[in-house]
Amino acid sequence: SQGESIQFLQFQMAFSLLADNIYISFYSCLSMKKESTSSRKESALRRIEKATFAAGCFWHVEYTFSKLPGVIKTESGYTGGKIKNPSYQQVCSGTTGHIEAVKIEFNPVKISYKKLLDKFWNMHDPTSFDKQGADHGSQYRAVVFYHNPAQKKEALASKQTLEKKGIYKKPIATQILPA
């Protein structure tokens, strides 16, 4: 009958409209998820972390870290002292408490903090206090300066692992301190 045909047609139209809405909603959600995943990846790629290491004369340390893929920027300077903006002569006098250090900006997606620590441990004598190679003085002591609790935990664990390996006859003198 004609009434049943109209009802069937109305049902088809309603069902079709419902299906279209479900289809649009489903693909909108997928699109949003892709954008969200994509923006998270982009955010991770743009995320920059800092690490600071002291291992003797900062020129060698800075050069070595600057060559690593994932290291964006290195900056040599003095840290840990009592006065602001000391001169080279003041730092060398041993009275300011400063240490020659290198601040590193790195992309943790491209290079991990653990890899930076591994490079650090291999570029200096961790058993030597106030001396690295021919450089003597408190400004040349070796220190890992951590910027957050996760870095502190990782630095302490890497130092402990190195100690357990028993590679060195003397105890490790490298310090782990807040940045």
Side-chain angles (χ1 to χ4, degrees):
S1 84
Q2 190 175 2
E4 286 177 2
S5 292
I6 291 173
Q7 274 186 327
F8 182 73
L9 189 57
Q10 286 175 338
F11 174 77
Q12 268 188 319
M13 288 174 59
F15 183 76
S16 178
L17 199 58
L18 179 65
D20 285 347
N21 283 337
I22 291 172
Y23 176 82
I24 290 168
S25 295
F26 177 74
Y27 282 99
S28 291
C29 286
L30 278 181
S31 174
M32 285 171 51
K33 185 174 181 176
K34 282 182 183 175
E35 284 178 24
S36 175
T37 303
S38 174
S39 64
R40 274 194 305 242
K41 284 180 183 174
E42 286 175 21
S43 176
L45 289 173
R46 285 192 305 263
R47 190 179 79 199
I48 305 298
E49 290 189 19
K50 291 180 182 157
T52 305
F53 298 101
C57 177
F58 49 47
W59 299 121
H60 167 71
V61 177
E62 181 178 27
Y63 178 80
T64 303
F65 279 117
S66 73
K67 297 298 177 195
L68 298 176
V71 171
I72 297 159
K73 180 181 175 185
T74 56
E75 183 181 356
S76 295
Y78 305 110
T79 189
K82 300 177 230 164
I83 63 171
K84 196 173 186 165
N85 301 319
S87 69
Y88 176 73
Q89 289 77 17
Q90 288 173 309
V91 172
C92 288
S93 74
T95 60
T96 68
H98 285 85
I99 304 165
E100 289 195 14
V102 176
K103 182 171 64 177
I104 300 162
E105 290 183 6
F106 68 100
N107 181 332
V109 173
K110 295 184 178 184
I111 188 166
S112 67
Y113 184 66
K114 182 187 179 324
K115 287 192 181 193
L116 294 175
L117 284 166
D118 291 344
K119 184 57 102 174
F120 169 76
W121 291 116
N122 288 308
M123 75 170 59
H124 77 290
D125 175 1
T127 66
S128 183
F129 191 79
D130 287 357
K131 171 184 174 301
Q132 288 298 315
D135 300 317
H136 299 266
S138 61
Q139 72 271 26
Y140 298 117
R141 66 188 178 275
V143 182
V144 175
F145 290 98
Y146 58 87
H147 290 262
N148 57 51
Q151 284 186 355
K152 178 182 181 180
K153 184 178 178 181
E154 233 176 309
L156 289 169
S158 69
K159 181 179 178 180
Q160 187 176 39
T161 298
L162 197 59
E163 288 171 331
K164 284 182 180 178
K165 286 182 179 178
I167 299 169
Y168 302 100
K169 292 177 183 172
K170 297 188 287 184
I172 292 178
T174 300
Q175 299 172 292
I176 314 288
L177 301 172

